[in-house]
Amino acid sequence: MTYKAEYERSINEPEDFWGEAARLIDWETAPSRILDDANPPFYRWFPDGVLNTCYNALDRHVDGGRADQPALIYDSAVTETVKTYTYRELRDEVALLAGALVEFGVTKGDTVIIYMPMIPETAMAMLACARIGAVHSVVFGGFAANELATRIDHAKPAVILSASCGIEPGRIVEYKPLLDEAIALADHKPHTVMMLQRPQAVATMVDGRDVDWSEAVGRAAPAPCVPVSSTDPLYILYTSGTTGEPKGVVRDNGGHAVALAWSMRALYDVEPGEVYWAASDVGWVVGHSYIVYAPLFHGCTTVLYEGKPVGTPDPGAFWRVISQHGVSVLFTAPTAFRAIKRDDPDGVYIKQYDLSRFRTLFLAGERCDPDTLHWAEEKLGVPVIDHWWQTESGWPMVTNPVGIEVFPVKAGSPTLPVPGYDIRVLDDEGNECEPGQVGAIVVRLPLPPGALLTLWDADERFLDAYMEQYPGYYASADAGYMDEDGYVYIMSRMDDIINVAGHRLSTGAIEEVLADHPDVAECAVVGVSDELKGQLPLGFVVLQAGADRDPAEVESELIALVRKRIGPVVSFKTAVVVKRLPKTRSGKTLRSTMRQIADGEEWKTPPTIEDPTVLDEIAESLLAIGYGT
Ligand code: COA
Ligand code: AMP
């Protein structure tokens, strides 16, 4: 079967294509209908199918001959621990944890927030929710109390699962004080907090609300899998929108299971029984899909790694894990490779390990610069596959589909549309662009199984954010083009999202925090280029008239404020006080020109500018702090 034939069948006969893929999943009731298109753009896949996601990830493998195969290897470089769970052990642990949730009154359809570090219990927590039909929402540990509070108020969890701390190189991040603060800030109060005590920090418990994880699991009875409708929500994953209010991407059970199970062989070319490692965090979509669900649906062994690519203890960390656990496929972000390359440019550490079972490297999460791609290809001697996707899609939309057919790599392009994704490039009028012409990257509806159903409790925002700009298409908010061979090139975001170390962040959300400082009259945040992290946020602020403050002092207060309100993951390290912001005559701040100046790119004074001298002032302020030329 060639890619072309597979792709065309997926687009022209989607029901046939996905009906066949649905056989990769064990259904309690197999779907008799494949696509419900009665209410576009709210398409639903396998509408009358009934299944359980946790059963498909664990129980069916225990029953089907993989009971003693490792399901999950926890490798913690920061605590120097390795622990392996077989499919039977993982199923049993998850069933008990699910039993504890049931005892706390959690039932099908209830929401549960998971605020946890990279430990096996986090994956167990997700699977335990799936087991009883509860809807999980994992919140990344690098977010501050405020962000967590916003998600608590929006998702309204009955129960929160957490752990006493995360471990970052050189410091213990105590989660409990952040969680307590978040619950105090939120209007919605969960009735139970289940707290896993890690030895590195002991959490103080709140009487009547907090329960000890081990005790609760110790007295629980294992819970069976609860059958749910294919279209019932499996999880909510919040991601940055254009404002401080995050978007709660909703994924279903059936479409998600089918798409992810299908992707493992077709896109990642991996077989059941092989070791698959996504070096990401379970708090991000890559972690949801390719640390937890997809490898387990497919009967692989997944690696859950607590550590960094460098410094834990050295730039050989990834090669140590690959050789020690026999990893076949690694998936990570280009930033991780830029960090390794920076610390080990000649690849000396690579040569110290046996990487003979390592077959393919996949990169995603941000634009893959050709230097990093070529360095990885040369030093590792395996194919390096850049692929493009988003929290919204949940799995790749553009890739080199190596399990179907291998295409020549063109640096800078993630290659070809994935079967199921009818990718087009449109101009401002909604007409299709010529090859090579940059436009908006969109996907013709319906989106395939596994993509977002809607935004949690926000159907209108879903329509407004993704569906209304180009009727009949999903607007990805990425700009790019296709070449004459159909290769897709992703160039930049069209909104105010920036990508910092593969982490998606909103400059609008940072601006909201800066604007809250009492001495700030106006502000603008742009994403400037960074050699390691791809982009970094840079803030410009104008002080209130009459604010008699030392600019340097305000700048450091602003840096602390962003860290406190949004979290360390933003890496907001530079704010600069300026006299004025450059504006158009209609009052729009000229952020892209400011970014060009900061990046030392050639820039032109926009004809719509109100006062061109402001740009010179900006350039001068930037030069003083080492930006621009
Ligand atoms: N909990 C608490 N704090 C966290 C955290 C977590 N889960 N994850 C990150 N942070 C903190 C870090 O400690 C750091 O704090 P600091 O400002 O005090 O140093 C800050 O957030 C920024 O983190 P990060 O972006 O990870 O930078 P880093 O300097 O610690 O590490 C890299 C740089 C390149 C090694 C790291 O970004 C990396 O491994 N990137 C891979 C990207 C990735 O996995 N992306 C996921 C999408 S596929
Ligand atoms: P997230 O939702 O966090 O996965 O971030 C999605 C965004 O990251 C996309 O909209 C792109 O802007 C960017 N992105 C992800 N993968 C790639 C890639 N392979 N090439 C270029 N940009 C990417």
Side-chain angles (χ1 to χ4, degrees):
M1 183 67 81
T2 61
Y3 161 77
K4 189 167 181 289
E6 280 286 82
Y7 183 74
E8 281 175 3
R9 191 163 69 93
S10 78
I11 300 302
N12 300 329
E13 298 158 63
E15 301 201 46
D16 184 54
F17 185 92
W18 292 112
E20 190 182 303
R23 292 193 214 122
L24 296 169
I25 287 305
D26 285 8
W27 300 85
E28 175 93 11
T29 309
S32 69
R33 291 177 63 206
I34 302 305
L35 176 64
D36 172 3
D37 57 2
N39 184 25
F42 296 96
Y43 294 91
R44 295 292 177 261
W45 288 96
F46 317 112
D48 59 358
V50 176
L51 78 162
N52 181 277
T53 289
C54 181
Y55 178 82
N56 276 281
L58 299 176
D59 301 60
R60 66 161 170 168
H61 300 307
V62 177
D63 301 341
R66 295 189 187 277
D68 298 319
Q69 179 197 307
L72 184 147
I73 300 171
Y74 165 57
D75 186 308
S76 170
V78 287
T79 60
E80 298 186 3
T81 313
V82 173
K83 189 164 181 201
T84 298
Y85 297 81
T86 63
Y87 268 97
R88 183 190 285 111
E89 287 166 344
L90 192 59
R91 192 270 316 264
D92 291 349
E93 296 265 3
V94 167
L96 287 175
L97 181 54
L101 290 175
V102 170
E103 271 174 34
F104 296 129
V106 179
T107 57
K108 187 173 142 182
D110 286 347
T111 50
V112 172
I113 279 192
I114 300 173
Y115 183 58
M116 295 180 65
M118 283 292 285
I119 53 177
E121 287 80 0
T122 311
M124 290 173 195
M126 295 163 71
L127 291 160
C129 290
R131 191 169 188 87
I132 58 173
V135 182
H136 63 70
S137 185
V138 181
V139 178
F140 176 61
F143 282 126
N146 236 62
E147 290 291 311
L148 180 56
T150 309
R151 287 154 175 80
I152 292 173
D153 271 338
H154 198 258
K156 301 190 172 42
V159 170
I160 297 185
L161 302 181
S162 190
S164 57
C165 66
I167 303 167
E168 283 293 291
R171 77 190 157 101
I172 303 292
V173 183
E174 291 204 29
Y175 279 30
K176 191 61 188 346
L178 295 171
L179 176 58
D180 286 343
E181 189 186 338
I183 295 175
L185 285 169
D187 292 327
H188 173 83
K189 308 289 177 197
H191 59 70
T192 306
V193 169
M194 233 176 117
M195 182 56 57
L196 182 88
Q197 297 283 11
R198 298 187 80 185
Q200 293 80 7
V202 177
T204 316
M205 305 291 265
V206 173
D207 269 352
R209 186 197 73 189
D210 299 353
V211 292
D212 181 82
W213 183 295
S214 311
E215 281 172 22
V217 170
R219 58 170 189 262
C225 294
V226 173
V228 301
S229 163
S230 168
T231 60
D232 280 341
L234 168 67
Y235 71 73
I236 309 164
L237 178 56
Y238 288 93
T239 188
S240 301
T242 47
T243 63
E245 182 82 13
K247 294 167 169 169
V249 164
V250 179
R251 197 93 59 215
D252 63 2
N253 276 272
H256 172 256
V258 171
L260 292 193
W262 182 83
S263 73
M264 287 300 279
R265 195 172 267 138
L267 306 184
Y268 293 98
D269 191 27
V270 67
E271 288 300 314
E274 288 196 293
V275 184
Y276 182 97
W277 177 26
S280 175
D281 189 289
V282 278
W284 307 114
V285 68
V286 171
H288 278 61
S289 295
Y290 290 101
I291 296 175
V292 182
Y293 287 114
L296 297 178
F297 287 147
H298 197 50
C300 288
T301 300
T302 186
V303 179
L304 191 142
Y305 173 70
E306 186 180 34
K308 301 263 173 179
V310 293
T312 58
D314 55 42
F318 275 20
W319 325 128
R320 198 264 304 153
V321 173
I322 290 175
S323 68
Q324 189 168 336
H325 306 305
V327 172
S328 300
V329 169
L330 169 65
F331 175 175
T332 191
T335 302
F337 266 75
R338 286 196 295 269
I340 296 171
K341 177 171 156 237
R342 180 194 60 187
D343 288 8
D344 181 20
D346 299 325
V348 172
Y349 284 85
I350 298 175
K351 299 192 188 94
Q352 295 170 11
Y353 295 93
D354 172 11
L355 304 185
S356 54
R357 294 173 71 179
F358 180 41
R359 225 175 30 241
T360 324
L361 170 66
F362 288 87
L363 297 173
E366 59 184 316
R367 198 177 140 71
C368 179
D369 53 290
D371 273 1
T372 305
L373 178 88
H374 295 317
W375 184 86
E377 281 175 336
E378 188 205 314
K379 299 289 182 243
L380 290 169
V382 299
V384 180
I385 310 294
D386 173 19
H387 59 332
W388 173 67
W389 49 304
Q390 303 181 307
T391 305
E392 287 83 350
S393 68
W395 62 292
M397 293 189 277
V398 173
T399 194
N400 197 330
V402 290
I404 305 173
E405 194 177 339
V406 182
F407 288 86
V409 170
K410 296 192 194 181
S413 168
T415 315
L416 296 167
V418 164
Y421 285 98
D422 189 352
I423 309 263
R424 309 286 174 104
V425 184
L426 302 184
D427 66 17
D428 289 348
E429 275 77 50
N431 302 314
E432 284 202 34
C433 292
E434 296 297 321
Q437 186 191 344
V438 174
I441 310 235
V442 300
V443 187
R444 217 172 132 235
L445 300 177
L447 292 170
L452 83 170
L453 295 190
T454 185
L455 294 176
W456 184 254
D457 199 20
D459 282 347
E460 277 306 316
R461 191 173 179 199
F462 166 75
L463 295 174
D464 180 54
Y466 305 109
M467 300 294 167
E468 278 168 0
Q469 200 179 349
Y470 303 100
Y473 298 89
Y474 160 81
S476 75
D478 276 319
Y481 65 93
M482 279 195 199
D483 71 9
E484 52 295 334
D485 299 324
Y487 278 54
V488 180
Y489 291 73
I490 311 291
M491 304 307 287
S492 59
R493 289 284 301 199
M494 301 170 77
D495 53 15
D496 67 356
I497 298 289
I498 58 170
N499 204 307
V500 179
H503 305 139
R504 169 170 162 179
L505 300 166
S506 152
T507 54
I510 304 172
E511 287 178 4
E512 283 177 25
V513 175
L514 300 184
D516 245 16
H517 188 288
D519 295 321
V520 169
E522 269 194 295
C523 64
V525 174
V526 301
V528 292
S529 301
D530 181 72
E531 248 182 48
L532 175 66
K533 298 195 177 185
Q535 283 183 301
L536 278 179
L538 172 63
F540 297 85
V541 293
V542 178
L543 298 186
Q544 297 278 12
D548 185 16
R549 296 288 316 272
D550 172 8
E553 216 174 84
V554 179
E555 284 161 10
S556 40
E557 284 169 15
L558 292 171
I559 288 163
L561 194 64
V562 171
R563 192 177 172 95
K564 167 97 184 77
R565 290 269 190 89
I566 310 183
V569 69
V570 186
S571 297
F572 184 70
K573 312 269 181 193
T574 319
V576 52
V577 172
V578 293
K579 281 192 229 127
R580 300 174 291 173
L581 293 176
K583 301 243 171 110
T584 62
R585 282 186 285 276
S586 58
K588 213 168 150 274
T589 305
L590 288 161
R591 289 183 180 76
S592 61
T593 315
M594 290 157 80
R595 185 203 58 74
Q596 284 174 320
I597 300 174
D599 278 340
E601 286 175 13
E602 228 175 88
W603 54 277
K604 286 203 189 89
T605 305
T608 51
I609 197 164
E610 194 185 20
D611 177 355
T613 61
V614 185
L615 289 176
D616 299 322
E617 288 170 20
I618 293 283
E620 211 174 294
S621 306
L622 284 171
L623 211 52
I625 54 166
Y627 285 89
T629 43

